[in-house]
Amino acid sequence: MAAPAAAMHAKSDSEVTSFDQSTPPRSPRRPLYYVQSPSNHDVEKMSYGSSPIGSPHHHNYYHCSPIHHSRESSTSRFSASLKNPRTVSAWKKIQPGQESDEDDDDQNSFVSRDKGRNVRLYFCFALLFVVLFTLFSVILWGASKSYKPEVIVEHIVIRRFDIQAGNDRTGVPTDMLSLNSTVRILYRNPATFFGVHVTSTPLELHYYQLKVASGEMKKFHQRRQSHRKVVTVVLGHQIPLYGGISVVGGAKDNIENVVIPLKLTFKMRSRAYILGKLVKSKFYTKVQCSVMLKGSKLGKPLKMTNSCTYK
């Protein structure tokens, strides 16, 4: 019984030895590494099962598979994005609740540039408006100068003229003159786009350097392209002569024979509000008329058409 057993054992050893010699030695198995993903779990199983476990090319096939490369590249990109975020949104996703100082600086610089641009635009618009308004005002002002008002003294009526003996305020005896007259003036505003406010200095009658009468003209407003006649009373009451009008001394009793040269002077001012009170224009007219007082013409109008000068 022992011999057959030994033979069987020897046979099995020889068979094993022959089998080992005919079969090439197997390389040691390398450990496998798996990267599990919820979305590609089945794909990994299929790629692993398609190659034999004992194949020497299994390890190389796994490393060269497109799935492995795509996972490795995506993983590296994600890691790089964690280390060096390139956008503000990525940084906020990585660190919620925190803001980047560089982002704040960029936003502040953008806001400051935007404000500066708006200020420049407003300044340019304001400057343009001022320039256009000034140009328009100058044009209106220049156009208004061609519409100077017309002033014409039509006539003067001396209603009363007498000389009486009297005393001045200090009690010095002298001749006293009284005169009552009215002056009619034609005023015309030829302007087509503005009215005028008219005032005047006192109307005065002089005998050389001696003032014998004066009167105030009422101020008025004259509409555009219109005219009016202004009547002003010029009075002189108890004016001491002190021998100034010597020619009258010999004609006290016969006033009709009196002839006295007088001079009427006044200055009219016309103020035009072209564009409210922002644009105004002024016109001045200086009037000087020669009046020949005749005792025989008392109460009658003396025409002044050719006796006045206007400046």
Side-chain angles (χ1 to χ4, degrees), residues 155-162 178-183 234 255-256 258 291-303:
H155 64 254
I156 180 172
V157 178
I158 300 177
R159 304 182 183 277
R160 177 190 173 190
F161 178 81
D162 58 18
S178 297
L179 187 146
N180 185 358
S181 65
T182 57
V183 179
V234 181
I255 198 66
E256 293 183 357
V258 174
V291 179
M292 189 60 67
L293 189 155
K294 295 180 179 181
S296 60
K297 298 290 185 179
L298 292 179
K300 297 179 181 179
L302 301 175
K303 294 184 178 180

Side-chain angles (χ1 to χ4, degrees), residues 206-211:
H206 289 81
Y207 174 75
Y208 296 103
Q209 300 299 323
L210 178 63
K211 183 174 70 173

Side-chain angles (χ1 to χ4, degrees), residues 65-267:
S65 63
I67 299 175
H68 178 74
H69 279 288
S70 63
R71 292 185 183 281
E72 186 177 2
S73 60
S74 62
T75 304
S76 61
R77 286 195 301 270
F78 181 73
S79 301
S81 64
L82 289 176
K83 294 179 180 179
N84 299 317
R86 297 182 180 179
T87 61
V88 177
S89 61
W91 179 265
K92 289 184 178 180
K93 289 181 180 178
I94 295 170
Q95 297 183 1
Q98 299 181 359
E99 294 183 357
S100 175
D101 294 337
E102 295 181 358
D103 182 47
D104 292 340
D105 295 338
D106 293 339
Q107 291 181 354
N108 292 333
S109 62
F110 177 76
V111 171
S112 62
R113 287 196 301 269
D114 188 50
K115 289 183 178 180
R117 185 182 64 181
N118 292 336
V119 170
R120 288 193 296 271
L121 288 176
Y122 295 150
F123 177 76
C124 291
F125 284 139
L127 181 61
L128 180 62
F129 174 77
V130 171
V131 170
L132 292 178
F133 181 79
T134 303
L135 181 61
F136 179 69
S137 300
V138 170
I139 292 174
L140 287 179
W141 181 83
S144 67
K145 290 301 181 181
S146 60
Y147 295 100
K148 185 177 181 179
E150 298 178 3
V151 179
I152 300 174
V153 179
E154 291 186 335
H155 64 254
I156 180 172
V157 178
I158 300 177
R159 304 182 183 277
R160 177 190 173 190
F161 178 81
D162 58 18
I163 298 175
Q164 297 177 355
N167 298 322
D168 62 5
R169 294 180 181 178
T170 61
V172 177
T174 183
D175 294 332
M176 311 295 288
L177 181 147
S178 297
L179 187 146
N180 185 358
S181 65
T182 57
V183 179
R184 191 170 76 175
I185 301 170
L186 175 65
Y187 185 92
R188 180 175 178 269
N189 178 21
T192 58
F193 58 94
F194 61 86
V196 290
H197 297 267
V198 185
T199 58
S200 175
T201 61
L203 280 70
E204 297 179 349
L205 283 171
H206 289 81
Y207 174 75
Y208 296 103
Q209 300 299 323
L210 178 63
K211 183 174 70 173
V212 296
S214 65
E216 294 285 344
M217 178 188 295
K218 294 182 180 179
K219 59 183 180 180
F220 60 93
H221 176 265
Q222 193 63 37
R223 296 176 298 176
R224 57 189 179 91
Q225 292 186 324
S226 62
H227 67 277
R228 73 168 61 193
K229 293 181 179 181
V230 183
V231 178
T232 304
V233 177
V234 181
L235 297 174
H237 180 68
Q238 296 295 311
I239 305 298
L241 298 179
Y242 301 113
I245 306 180
S246 59
V247 68
V248 177
K252 290 181 181 179
D253 298 333
N254 191 5
I255 198 66
E256 293 183 357
N257 296 329
V258 174
V259 177
I260 301 174
L262 300 177
K263 184 183 295 183
L264 175 67
T265 59
F266 64 96
K267 186 177 182 180

